[in-house]
Amino acid sequence: MDLYKVLGVNRSATKDEIKEAFRKLAVKYHPDKHSHSPKPVRDSATLRFKEASQAYEVLSDDRKRAHYNLSSSSYYNHNYSHQYTNASRRASGHGYGSSNSYSYKNTHQTSTSNFWHISLRFFSTRAFLLNLVFAGVLYGGFVAIDNSGEALWKMHNPGKSFEEAMESIEKAKADRDT
């Protein structure tokens, strides 16, 4: 089940868009609204309400959404299968309720291609790339400062190395102390 399709939003939807889509679906499919409808309509509405609640519960939480996005991408469908179930509702026999305790089952086939897919996915995330650019700028700054320090030394002390300058300073101190 694609949680984004359930809510009718795209993968880049903001939290506000997800919230608004859930509210519209919750109003449309809430079981109380369909209490006097025929049983098939009522069951269908209850199912849609559960799916929308489940999708909202996962997509409104940043950590759960990131995990869902990483593991449910069509790029990984051959290695992962997901099943979000509402364990407390199923165990208690309630059709719906305020409990949002979902269990997550993940079956994973180990393979080297899966490792490379996950690595590629991680190393191509926006946050990683921004951190990489930031580290590159810092490293470049350190290299530029180091090279400019050497250039300044050579400009102000032509013909002398740093070691020779230190020796002359030590000699001058020794001569001054005696």
Side-chain angles (χ1 to χ4, degrees):
M1 171 173 64
D2 184 359
L3 301 181
Y4 291 100
K5 285 183 181 177
V6 169
L7 293 180
V9 296
N10 61 22
R11 287 189 172 268
S12 62
T14 64
K15 279 187 171 186
D16 290 334
E17 291 170 337
I18 290 170
K19 188 176 189 177
E20 184 62 30
F22 169 70
R23 285 185 177 175
K24 285 179 183 177
L25 290 174
V27 167
K28 184 176 180 181
Y29 295 111
H30 196 279
D32 289 344
K33 183 177 180 181
H34 295 280
S35 62
H36 299 295
S37 299
K39 183 166 174 43
V41 174
R42 189 173 52 236
D43 290 345
S44 175
T46 301
L47 178 65
R48 291 292 311 262
F49 181 76
K50 285 181 187 178
E51 289 175 348
S53 297
Q54 177 182 350
Y56 179 71
E57 194 256 335
V58 172
L59 298 179
S60 64
D61 183 285
D62 290 335
R63 187 173 287 168
K64 288 179 185 178
R65 183 177 181 180
H67 187 263
Y68 174 79
N69 286 342
L70 179 64
S71 58
S72 71
S73 170
S74 61
Y75 195 64
Y76 298 97
N77 277 345
H78 68 283
N79 288 327
Y80 284 98
S81 69
H82 303 281
Q83 183 179 18
Y84 286 92
T85 59
N86 187 332
S88 65
R89 289 181 187 164
R90 194 170 51 184
S92 66
H94 289 77
Y96 68 96
S98 61
S99 171
N100 281 331
S101 113
Y102 290 91
S103 67
Y104 173 76
K105 295 178 183 177
N106 180 10
T107 58
H108 175 255
Q109 300 171 351
T110 56
S111 68
T112 23
S113 66
N114 185 44
F115 169 76
W116 293 112
H117 290 143
I118 290 173
S119 299
L120 177 65
R121 180 87 178 218
F122 171 75
F123 290 124
S124 63
T125 60
R126 182 182 310 184
F128 176 79
L129 294 174
L130 287 173
N131 286 334
L132 186 64
V133 167
F134 180 69
V137 167
L138 281 177
Y139 179 73
F142 287 132
V143 168
I145 289 171
D146 186 47
N147 288 340
S148 65
E150 287 180 29
L152 283 172
W153 175 263
K154 288 179 183 175
M155 186 171 61
H156 291 293
N157 301 302
K160 279 188 178 179
S161 70
F162 181 74
E163 290 79 20
E164 290 171 347
M166 290 306 293
E167 286 176 18
S168 66
I169 290 172
E170 291 297 325
K171 231 187 241 185
K173 282 184 183 178
D175 290 342
R176 189 176 44 157
D177 290 340
T178 56

PDB file of all heavy atoms in Angstrom, residues 66 69-71 73 75-76 113-132:
ATOM      1  N   ALA A  66      10.735   9.194   6.913  1.00  0.00           N
ATOM      2  CA  ALA A  66      12.038   8.956   6.283  1.00  0.00           C
ATOM      3  C   ALA A  66      12.291   7.460   6.128  1.00  0.00           C
ATOM      4  O   ALA A  66      12.765   7.005   5.082  1.00  0.00           O
ATOM      5  CB  ALA A  66      13.140   9.608   7.101  1.00  0.00           C
ATOM      6  N   ASN A  69      10.011   6.205   3.361  1.00  0.00           N
ATOM      7  CA  ASN A  69      10.491   6.624   2.043  1.00  0.00           C
ATOM      8  C   ASN A  69      11.682   5.787   1.604  1.00  0.00           C
ATOM      9  O   ASN A  69      11.787   5.393   0.446  1.00  0.00           O
ATOM     10  CB  ASN A  69      10.875   8.104   2.050  1.00  0.00           C
ATOM     11  CG  ASN A  69       9.673   9.009   2.078  1.00  0.00           C
ATOM     12  OD1 ASN A  69       8.561   8.598   1.775  1.00  0.00           O
ATOM     13  ND2 ASN A  69       9.883  10.245   2.464  1.00  0.00           N
ATOM     14  N   LEU A  70      12.598   5.537   2.537  1.00  0.00           N
ATOM     15  CA  LEU A  70      13.794   4.770   2.200  1.00  0.00           C
ATOM     16  C   LEU A  70      13.447   3.332   1.870  1.00  0.00           C
ATOM     17  O   LEU A  70      13.937   2.775   0.910  1.00  0.00           O
ATOM     18  CB  LEU A  70      14.790   4.813   3.366  1.00  0.00           C
ATOM     19  CG  LEU A  70      16.083   4.039   3.162  1.00  0.00           C
ATOM     20  CD1 LEU A  70      16.867   4.655   2.010  1.00  0.00           C
ATOM     21  CD2 LEU A  70      16.910   4.053   4.423  1.00  0.00           C
ATOM     22  N   SER A  71      12.564   2.744   2.654  1.00  0.00           N
ATOM     23  CA  SER A  71      12.320   1.320   2.494  1.00  0.00           C
ATOM     24  C   SER A  71      11.185   0.988   1.539  1.00  0.00           C
ATOM     25  O   SER A  71      11.083  -0.140   1.100  1.00  0.00           O
ATOM     26  CB  SER A  71      12.052   0.690   3.860  1.00  0.00           C
ATOM     27  OG  SER A  71      10.971   1.319   4.472  1.00  0.00           O
ATOM     28  N   SER A  73      10.508   2.689  -1.391  1.00  0.00           N
ATOM     29  CA  SER A  73      10.743   3.193  -2.736  1.00  0.00           C
ATOM     30  C   SER A  73      10.641   2.067  -3.749  1.00  0.00           C
ATOM     31  O   SER A  73      11.028   0.941  -3.498  1.00  0.00           O
ATOM     32  CB  SER A  73      12.136   3.825  -2.789  1.00  0.00           C
ATOM     33  OG  SER A  73      12.484   4.109  -4.113  1.00  0.00           O
ATOM     34  N   TYR A  75      12.409   1.578  -6.034  1.00  0.00           N
ATOM     35  CA  TYR A  75      13.777   1.179  -6.313  1.00  0.00           C
ATOM     36  C   TYR A  75      14.152  -0.048  -5.492  1.00  0.00           C
ATOM     37  O   TYR A  75      14.988  -0.828  -5.877  1.00  0.00           O
ATOM     38  CB  TYR A  75      14.679   2.359  -5.956  1.00  0.00           C
ATOM     39  CG  TYR A  75      16.080   2.293  -6.481  1.00  0.00           C
ATOM     40  CD1 TYR A  75      16.332   2.314  -7.841  1.00  0.00           C
ATOM     41  CD2 TYR A  75      17.148   2.229  -5.607  1.00  0.00           C
ATOM     42  CE1 TYR A  75      17.616   2.274  -8.311  1.00  0.00           C
ATOM     43  CE2 TYR A  75      18.438   2.183  -6.074  1.00  0.00           C
ATOM     44  CZ  TYR A  75      18.669   2.209  -7.427  1.00  0.00           C
ATOM     45  OH  TYR A  75      19.948   2.166  -7.881  1.00  0.00           O
ATOM     46  N   TYR A  76      13.516  -0.232  -4.334  1.00  0.00           N
ATOM     47  CA  TYR A  76      13.857  -1.323  -3.433  1.00  0.00           C
ATOM     48  C   TYR A  76      12.796  -2.406  -3.372  1.00  0.00           C
ATOM     49  O   TYR A  76      12.907  -3.322  -2.585  1.00  0.00           O
ATOM     50  CB  TYR A  76      14.046  -0.788  -2.013  1.00  0.00           C
ATOM     51  CG  TYR A  76      15.158   0.186  -1.925  1.00  0.00           C
ATOM     52  CD1 TYR A  76      14.892   1.541  -1.981  1.00  0.00           C
ATOM     53  CD2 TYR A  76      16.462  -0.235  -1.817  1.00  0.00           C
ATOM     54  CE1 TYR A  76      15.898   2.436  -1.928  1.00  0.00           C
ATOM     55  CE2 TYR A  76      17.487   0.671  -1.758  1.00  0.00           C
ATOM     56  CZ  TYR A  76      17.198   2.007  -1.808  1.00  0.00           C
ATOM     57  OH  TYR A  76      18.208   2.898  -1.763  1.00  0.00           O
ATOM     58  N   SER A 113      23.680  -6.299  -3.673  1.00  0.00           N
ATOM     59  CA  SER A 113      23.069  -5.217  -4.445  1.00  0.00           C
ATOM     60  C   SER A 113      22.223  -4.326  -3.543  1.00  0.00           C
ATOM     61  O   SER A 113      22.165  -3.120  -3.739  1.00  0.00           O
ATOM     62  CB  SER A 113      22.224  -5.772  -5.589  1.00  0.00           C
ATOM     63  OG  SER A 113      21.122  -6.478  -5.075  1.00  0.00           O
ATOM     64  N   ASN A 114      21.583  -4.920  -2.542  1.00  0.00           N
ATOM     65  CA  ASN A 114      20.793  -4.135  -1.598  1.00  0.00           C
ATOM     66  C   ASN A 114      21.692  -3.168  -0.833  1.00  0.00           C
ATOM     67  O   ASN A 114      21.345  -2.013  -0.628  1.00  0.00           O
ATOM     68  CB  ASN A 114      20.046  -5.054  -0.638  1.00  0.00           C
ATOM     69  CG  ASN A 114      19.122  -4.283   0.266  1.00  0.00           C
ATOM     70  OD1 ASN A 114      18.430  -3.400  -0.202  1.00  0.00           O
ATOM     71  ND2 ASN A 114      19.129  -4.609   1.528  1.00  0.00           N
ATOM     72  N   PHE A 115      22.862  -3.647  -0.399  1.00  0.00           N
ATOM     73  CA  PHE A 115      23.815  -2.780   0.304  1.00  0.00           C
ATOM     74  C   PHE A 115      24.200  -1.589  -0.567  1.00  0.00           C
ATOM     75  O   PHE A 115      24.219  -0.455  -0.106  1.00  0.00           O
ATOM     76  CB  PHE A 115      25.069  -3.574   0.685  1.00  0.00           C
ATOM     77  CG  PHE A 115      26.190  -2.709   1.176  1.00  0.00           C
ATOM     78  CD1 PHE A 115      26.148  -2.177   2.460  1.00  0.00           C
ATOM     79  CD2 PHE A 115      27.255  -2.393   0.355  1.00  0.00           C
ATOM     80  CE1 PHE A 115      27.168  -1.369   2.923  1.00  0.00           C
ATOM     81  CE2 PHE A 115      28.278  -1.582   0.806  1.00  0.00           C
ATOM     82  CZ  PHE A 115      28.236  -1.075   2.097  1.00  0.00           C
ATOM     83  N   TRP A 116      24.488  -1.831  -1.847  1.00  0.00           N
ATOM     84  CA  TRP A 116      24.895  -0.750  -2.739  1.00  0.00           C
ATOM     85  C   TRP A 116      23.734   0.191  -3.023  1.00  0.00           C
ATOM     86  O   TRP A 116      23.920   1.398  -3.136  1.00  0.00           O
ATOM     87  CB  TRP A 116      25.478  -1.300  -4.031  1.00  0.00           C
ATOM     88  CG  TRP A 116      26.770  -1.999  -3.775  1.00  0.00           C
ATOM     89  CD1 TRP A 116      27.024  -3.325  -3.882  1.00  0.00           C
ATOM     90  CD2 TRP A 116      27.985  -1.403  -3.304  1.00  0.00           C
ATOM     91  NE1 TRP A 116      28.307  -3.595  -3.517  1.00  0.00           N
ATOM     92  CE2 TRP A 116      28.934  -2.431  -3.162  1.00  0.00           C
ATOM     93  CE3 TRP A 116      28.363  -0.100  -2.985  1.00  0.00           C
ATOM     94  CZ2 TRP A 116      30.223  -2.192  -2.717  1.00  0.00           C
ATOM     95  CZ3 TRP A 116      29.658   0.134  -2.550  1.00  0.00           C
ATOM     96  CH2 TRP A 116      30.570  -0.902  -2.413  1.00  0.00           C
ATOM     97  N   HIS A 117      22.526  -0.340  -3.124  1.00  0.00           N
ATOM     98  CA  HIS A 117      21.362   0.521  -3.342  1.00  0.00           C
ATOM     99  C   HIS A 117      21.146   1.451  -2.156  1.00  0.00           C
ATOM    100  O   HIS A 117      20.920   2.650  -2.336  1.00  0.00           O
ATOM    101  CB  HIS A 117      20.097  -0.311  -3.576  1.00  0.00           C
ATOM    102  CG  HIS A 117      20.080  -1.025  -4.876  1.00  0.00           C
ATOM    103  ND1 HIS A 117      19.546  -2.269  -5.015  1.00  0.00           N
ATOM    104  CD2 HIS A 117      20.542  -0.671  -6.095  1.00  0.00           C
ATOM    105  CE1 HIS A 117      19.671  -2.657  -6.262  1.00  0.00           C
ATOM    106  NE2 HIS A 117      20.271  -1.709  -6.939  1.00  0.00           N
ATOM    107  N   ILE A 118      21.222   0.906  -0.953  1.00  0.00           N
ATOM    108  CA  ILE A 118      21.026   1.731   0.240  1.00  0.00           C
ATOM    109  C   ILE A 118      22.150   2.749   0.366  1.00  0.00           C
ATOM    110  O   ILE A 118      21.921   3.914   0.681  1.00  0.00           O
ATOM    111  CB  ILE A 118      20.918   0.847   1.499  1.00  0.00           C
ATOM    112  CG1 ILE A 118      19.605   0.072   1.465  1.00  0.00           C
ATOM    113  CG2 ILE A 118      21.011   1.680   2.767  1.00  0.00           C
ATOM    114  CD1 ILE A 118      19.448  -0.947   2.561  1.00  0.00           C
ATOM    115  N   SER A 119      23.385   2.318   0.092  1.00  0.00           N
ATOM    116  CA  SER A 119      24.516   3.248   0.154  1.00  0.00           C
ATOM    117  C   SER A 119      24.349   4.383  -0.848  1.00  0.00           C
ATOM    118  O   SER A 119      24.547   5.549  -0.507  1.00  0.00           O
ATOM    119  CB  SER A 119      25.829   2.509  -0.128  1.00  0.00           C
ATOM    120  OG  SER A 119      26.041   1.514   0.822  1.00  0.00           O
ATOM    121  N   LEU A 120      23.988   4.031  -2.067  1.00  0.00           N
ATOM    122  CA  LEU A 120      23.781   5.055  -3.096  1.00  0.00           C
ATOM    123  C   LEU A 120      22.663   5.999  -2.682  1.00  0.00           C
ATOM    124  O   LEU A 120      22.784   7.211  -2.821  1.00  0.00           O
ATOM    125  CB  LEU A 120      23.446   4.399  -4.435  1.00  0.00           C
ATOM    126  CG  LEU A 120      23.141   5.360  -5.580  1.00  0.00           C
ATOM    127  CD1 LEU A 120      24.373   6.176  -5.922  1.00  0.00           C
ATOM    128  CD2 LEU A 120      22.665   4.596  -6.792  1.00  0.00           C
ATOM    129  N   ARG A 121      21.602   5.450  -2.143  1.00  0.00           N
ATOM    130  CA  ARG A 121      20.477   6.277  -1.704  1.00  0.00           C
ATOM    131  C   ARG A 121      20.899   7.233  -0.598  1.00  0.00           C
ATOM    132  O   ARG A 121      20.544   8.403  -0.600  1.00  0.00           O
ATOM    133  CB  ARG A 121      19.354   5.343  -1.228  1.00  0.00           C
ATOM    134  CG  ARG A 121      18.137   6.012  -0.758  1.00  0.00           C
ATOM    135  CD  ARG A 121      17.218   6.289  -1.911  1.00  0.00           C
ATOM    136  NE  ARG A 121      16.018   6.902  -1.398  1.00  0.00           N
ATOM    137  CZ  ARG A 121      14.831   6.661  -1.853  1.00  0.00           C
ATOM    138  NH1 ARG A 121      14.677   5.848  -2.852  1.00  0.00           N
ATOM    139  NH2 ARG A 121      13.793   7.262  -1.338  1.00  0.00           N
ATOM    140  N   PHE A 122      21.683   6.731   0.376  1.00  0.00           N
ATOM    141  CA  PHE A 122      22.148   7.568   1.489  1.00  0.00           C
ATOM    142  C   PHE A 122      23.093   8.662   0.992  1.00  0.00           C
ATOM    143  O   PHE A 122      22.951   9.820   1.352  1.00  0.00           O
ATOM    144  CB  PHE A 122      22.855   6.719   2.546  1.00  0.00           C
ATOM    145  CG  PHE A 122      23.535   7.534   3.603  1.00  0.00           C
ATOM    146  CD1 PHE A 122      22.783   8.161   4.582  1.00  0.00           C
ATOM    147  CD2 PHE A 122      24.900   7.691   3.619  1.00  0.00           C
ATOM    148  CE1 PHE A 122      23.386   8.922   5.562  1.00  0.00           C
ATOM    149  CE2 PHE A 122      25.516   8.446   4.587  1.00  0.00           C
ATOM    150  CZ  PHE A 122      24.757   9.069   5.561  1.00  0.00           C
ATOM    151  N   PHE A 123      24.058   8.275   0.146  1.00  0.00           N
ATOM    152  CA  PHE A 123      25.055   9.247  -0.299  1.00  0.00           C
ATOM    153  C   PHE A 123      24.506  10.240  -1.312  1.00  0.00           C
ATOM    154  O   PHE A 123      25.191  11.189  -1.664  1.00  0.00           O
ATOM    155  CB  PHE A 123      26.287   8.534  -0.863  1.00  0.00           C
ATOM    156  CG  PHE A 123      27.083   7.837   0.196  1.00  0.00           C
ATOM    157  CD1 PHE A 123      27.360   6.488   0.106  1.00  0.00           C
ATOM    158  CD2 PHE A 123      27.554   8.528   1.291  1.00  0.00           C
ATOM    159  CE1 PHE A 123      28.085   5.844   1.084  1.00  0.00           C
ATOM    160  CE2 PHE A 123      28.278   7.899   2.281  1.00  0.00           C
ATOM    161  CZ  PHE A 123      28.544   6.549   2.176  1.00  0.00           C
ATOM    162  N   SER A 124      23.297  10.043  -1.775  1.00  0.00           N
ATOM    163  CA  SER A 124      22.705  11.003  -2.699  1.00  0.00           C
ATOM    164  C   SER A 124      21.597  11.825  -2.043  1.00  0.00           C
ATOM    165  O   SER A 124      20.900  12.558  -2.727  1.00  0.00           O
ATOM    166  CB  SER A 124      22.173  10.293  -3.942  1.00  0.00           C
ATOM    167  OG  SER A 124      21.151   9.404  -3.576  1.00  0.00           O
ATOM    168  N   THR A 125      21.452  11.731  -0.736  1.00  0.00           N
ATOM    169  CA  THR A 125      20.448  12.555  -0.063  1.00  0.00           C
ATOM    170  C   THR A 125      20.902  13.998  -0.011  1.00  0.00           C
ATOM    171  O   THR A 125      22.094  14.289  -0.010  1.00  0.00           O
ATOM    172  CB  THR A 125      20.165  12.060   1.373  1.00  0.00           C
ATOM    173  OG1 THR A 125      21.370  12.123   2.119  1.00  0.00           O
ATOM    174  CG2 THR A 125      19.596  10.663   1.378  1.00  0.00           C
ATOM    175  N   ARG A 126      19.963  14.891   0.052  1.00  0.00           N
ATOM    176  CA  ARG A 126      20.265  16.316   0.064  1.00  0.00           C
ATOM    177  C   ARG A 126      21.093  16.700   1.288  1.00  0.00           C
ATOM    178  O   ARG A 126      22.061  17.450   1.183  1.00  0.00           O
ATOM    179  CB  ARG A 126      18.979  17.121   0.038  1.00  0.00           C
ATOM    180  CG  ARG A 126      19.222  18.613  -0.010  1.00  0.00           C
ATOM    181  CD  ARG A 126      17.959  19.404   0.013  1.00  0.00           C
ATOM    182  NE  ARG A 126      17.032  18.901  -0.984  1.00  0.00           N
ATOM    183  CZ  ARG A 126      15.881  19.446  -1.248  1.00  0.00           C
ATOM    184  NH1 ARG A 126      15.482  20.501  -0.601  1.00  0.00           N
ATOM    185  NH2 ARG A 126      15.079  18.932  -2.151  1.00  0.00           N
ATOM    186  N   ALA A 127      20.750  16.175   2.455  1.00  0.00           N
ATOM    187  CA  ALA A 127      21.485  16.514   3.683  1.00  0.00           C
ATOM    188  C   ALA A 127      22.930  16.059   3.592  1.00  0.00           C
ATOM    189  O   ALA A 127      23.846  16.806   3.958  1.00  0.00           O
ATOM    190  CB  ALA A 127      20.813  15.879   4.894  1.00  0.00           C
ATOM    191  N   PHE A 128      23.160  14.844   3.092  1.00  0.00           N
ATOM    192  CA  PHE A 128      24.527  14.359   2.971  1.00  0.00           C
ATOM    193  C   PHE A 128      25.313  15.217   1.992  1.00  0.00           C
ATOM    194  O   PHE A 128      26.457  15.590   2.266  1.00  0.00           O
ATOM    195  CB  PHE A 128      24.541  12.896   2.510  1.00  0.00           C
ATOM    196  CG  PHE A 128      25.937  12.380   2.281  1.00  0.00           C
ATOM    197  CD1 PHE A 128      26.718  12.001   3.352  1.00  0.00           C
ATOM    198  CD2 PHE A 128      26.460  12.303   1.014  1.00  0.00           C
ATOM    199  CE1 PHE A 128      28.004  11.552   3.157  1.00  0.00           C
ATOM    200  CE2 PHE A 128      27.748  11.864   0.797  1.00  0.00           C
ATOM    201  CZ  PHE A 128      28.528  11.473   1.875  1.00  0.00           C
ATOM    202  N   LEU A 129      24.705  15.531   0.854  1.00  0.00           N
ATOM    203  CA  LEU A 129      25.417  16.333  -0.141  1.00  0.00           C
ATOM    204  C   LEU A 129      25.713  17.737   0.381  1.00  0.00           C
ATOM    205  O   LEU A 129      26.789  18.285   0.127  1.00  0.00           O
ATOM    206  CB  LEU A 129      24.620  16.382  -1.436  1.00  0.00           C
ATOM    207  CG  LEU A 129      24.486  15.027  -2.158  1.00  0.00           C
ATOM    208  CD1 LEU A 129      23.569  15.153  -3.351  1.00  0.00           C
ATOM    209  CD2 LEU A 129      25.841  14.503  -2.566  1.00  0.00           C
ATOM    210  N   LEU A 130      24.790  18.337   1.127  1.00  0.00           N
ATOM    211  CA  LEU A 130      25.054  19.654   1.711  1.00  0.00           C
ATOM    212  C   LEU A 130      26.187  19.588   2.721  1.00  0.00           C
ATOM    213  O   LEU A 130      27.049  20.469   2.763  1.00  0.00           O
ATOM    214  CB  LEU A 130      23.791  20.208   2.366  1.00  0.00           C
ATOM    215  CG  LEU A 130      22.704  20.687   1.411  1.00  0.00           C
ATOM    216  CD1 LEU A 130      21.444  21.057   2.179  1.00  0.00           C
ATOM    217  CD2 LEU A 130      23.192  21.861   0.589  1.00  0.00           C
ATOM    218  N   ASN A 131      26.212  18.541   3.546  1.00  0.00           N
ATOM    219  CA  ASN A 131      27.311  18.370   4.498  1.00  0.00           C
ATOM    220  C   ASN A 131      28.633  18.160   3.777  1.00  0.00           C
ATOM    221  O   ASN A 131      29.672  18.656   4.214  1.00  0.00           O
ATOM    222  CB  ASN A 131      27.031  17.202   5.445  1.00  0.00           C
ATOM    223  CG  ASN A 131      25.979  17.541   6.464  1.00  0.00           C
ATOM    224  OD1 ASN A 131      25.792  18.699   6.808  1.00  0.00           O
ATOM    225  ND2 ASN A 131      25.282  16.534   6.945  1.00  0.00           N
ATOM    226  N   LEU A 132      28.609  17.419   2.681  1.00  0.00           N
ATOM    227  CA  LEU A 132      29.813  17.189   1.901  1.00  0.00           C
ATOM    228  C   LEU A 132      30.332  18.505   1.308  1.00  0.00           C
ATOM    229  O   LEU A 132      31.537  18.780   1.349  1.00  0.00           O
ATOM    230  CB  LEU A 132      29.535  16.177   0.792  1.00  0.00           C
ATOM    231  CG  LEU A 132      30.724  15.715  -0.025  1.00  0.00           C
ATOM    232  CD1 LEU A 132      31.707  14.963   0.866  1.00  0.00           C
ATOM    233  CD2 LEU A 132      30.264  14.828  -1.163  1.00  0.00           C
TER     234      LEU A 132
END
